[in-house]
């Protein structure tokens, strides 16, 4: 699960799922790690966890110092298993491919690399280093030290990530009818609820 699992109910569901199938999840703070460790101990399971490093997305993810501390705690606990270190540079996914995008990804992944280096220098194995999005997986895989990529939205083939070089087929198209014309402009009956502009203007596949 490329996300943090927090709260008693969700952690309980994670623990029950781990009884049947190994599942990895992220953690980015000590409070959440306390709850995860307590639940694992109470249910007699070992949870596979990855500290999540903030690499510029400014969403989830811990700063370098905290991520190193989390890795050390996970390694030391008999109820937890350190499966790797992760980060998510999804904020760079929509950039067009090229040297600028690759340089930005290299720059923003630096904190992740620092955490991996420090944890390994402490004698703690890091089985995997995971990062990337549907719009960055090619450049991130090319870094040479990231061992796993996390493209997910590619399955939807949306406009945002295809502009960023994902290259997947579009999962869905909207059949619309032109209901008005004025000069070089056409108006269709597919409005904002059908084609939301959140990821930019849509494209006409055929007409």
């Amino acid at each position: 699960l490329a996300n943090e699992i927090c709260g008693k109910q969700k952690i309980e569901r994670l623990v029950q799922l781990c009884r049947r199938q190994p599942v990895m999840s992220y953690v980015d703070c000590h409070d959440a790690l306390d709850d995860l460790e307590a639940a694992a101990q109470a249910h007699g399971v070992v949870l596979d966890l990855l500290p999540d490093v903030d690499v510029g997305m400014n969403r989830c993810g811990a700063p370098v110092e905290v991520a190193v501390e989390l890795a050390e705690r996970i390694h030391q606990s008999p109820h937890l298993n350190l499966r790797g270190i992760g980060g998510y540079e999804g904020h760079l996914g929509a950039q067009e491919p090229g040297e600028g995008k690759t340089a930005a990804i290299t720059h923003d992944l630096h904190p992740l690399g620092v955490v991996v280096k420090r944890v390994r220098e402490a004698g703690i194995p890091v089985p995997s280093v995971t990062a990337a999005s549907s719009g960055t997986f090619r450049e991130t895989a090319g870094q040479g030290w990231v061992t796993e990529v996390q493209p997910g939205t590619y399955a939807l083939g949306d406009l945002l990530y295809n502009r960023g070089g994902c290259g997947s087929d579009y999962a869905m198209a909207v059949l619309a009818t032109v209901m008005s014309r004025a000069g070089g402009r056409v108006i269709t009956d597919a409005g904002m609820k059908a084609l939301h502009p959140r990821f930019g203007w849509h494209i006409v596949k055929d007409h």
Side-chain angles (χ1 to χ4, degrees), residues 153-159 162 168-175 193-196 202-203 205:
T153 307
Y154 77 92
L156 303 178
D158 67 23
L159 292 168
N162 272 337
S168 62
D169 293 333
Y170 294 111
M172 183 179 71
V174 175
L175 181 62
K193 294 180 181 64
L195 300 172
H196 198 280
H202 296 267
I203 61 174
K205 291 190 66 177

Side-chain angles (χ1 to χ4, degrees), residues 1 5-23 25 35-36 39-40 43 45 47:
L1 300 172
I5 305 297
C6 298
K8 183 177 180 180
Q9 184 177 17
K10 289 183 178 180
I11 290 176
E12 179 70 21
R13 293 177 66 183
L14 175 65
V15 169
Q16 295 301 329
L17 180 60
C18 288
R19 287 180 177 276
R20 305 193 303 269
Q21 176 68 38
V23 179
S25 63
D35 293 340
L36 289 161
H43 291 276
V45 300
L47 293 180

Side-chain angles (χ1 to χ4, degrees), residues 6-176:
C6 298
K8 183 177 180 180
Q9 184 177 17
K10 289 183 178 180
I11 290 176
E12 179 70 21
R13 293 177 66 183
L14 175 65
V15 169
Q16 295 301 329
L17 180 60
C18 288
R19 287 180 177 276
R20 305 193 303 269
Q21 176 68 38
V23 179
M24 297 183 292
S25 63
Y26 276 162
V27 62
D28 68 358
C29 70
H30 288 286
D31 288 343
L33 187 57
D34 289 342
D35 293 340
L36 289 161
E37 185 175 22
Q41 181 177 6
H43 291 276
V45 300
V46 176
L47 293 180
D48 293 331
L49 297 177
L50 303 89
D52 184 12
V53 183
D54 182 6
V55 293
M57 185 78 179
N58 296 323
R59 192 170 67 179
C60 295
V64 168
E65 293 295 336
V66 175
V68 172
E69 293 170 358
L70 293 172
E72 292 172 344
R73 282 191 58 191
I74 295 168
H75 177 67
Q76 292 165 1
S77 173
H79 311 292
L80 306 172
N81 180 37
L82 182 66
R83 285 297 303 268
I85 312 288
Y88 179 62
E89 72 287 7
H91 56 290
L92 301 173
Q95 289 190 22
E96 292 187 4
E99 292 182 2
K101 181 175 183 175
T102 300
I105 291 171
T106 300
H107 174 272
D108 283 11
L109 286 178
H110 179 69
L112 176 60
V114 171
V115 173
V116 172
K117 182 174 183 290
R118 287 181 54 178
V119 171
R120 286 176 171 161
E121 286 177 345
I124 301 173
V126 180
S128 67
V129 181
T130 179
S133 71
S134 293
T136 63
F137 70 91
R138 288 187 175 87
E139 294 85 357
T140 299
Q143 299 290 314
W145 53 274
V146 175
T147 62
E148 179 188 74
V149 293
Q150 313 168 15
T153 307
Y154 77 92
L156 303 178
D158 67 23
L159 292 168
L160 176 70
Y161 284 122
N162 272 337
R163 290 193 185 101
C166 178
S168 62
D169 293 333
Y170 294 111
M172 183 179 71
V174 175
L175 181 62

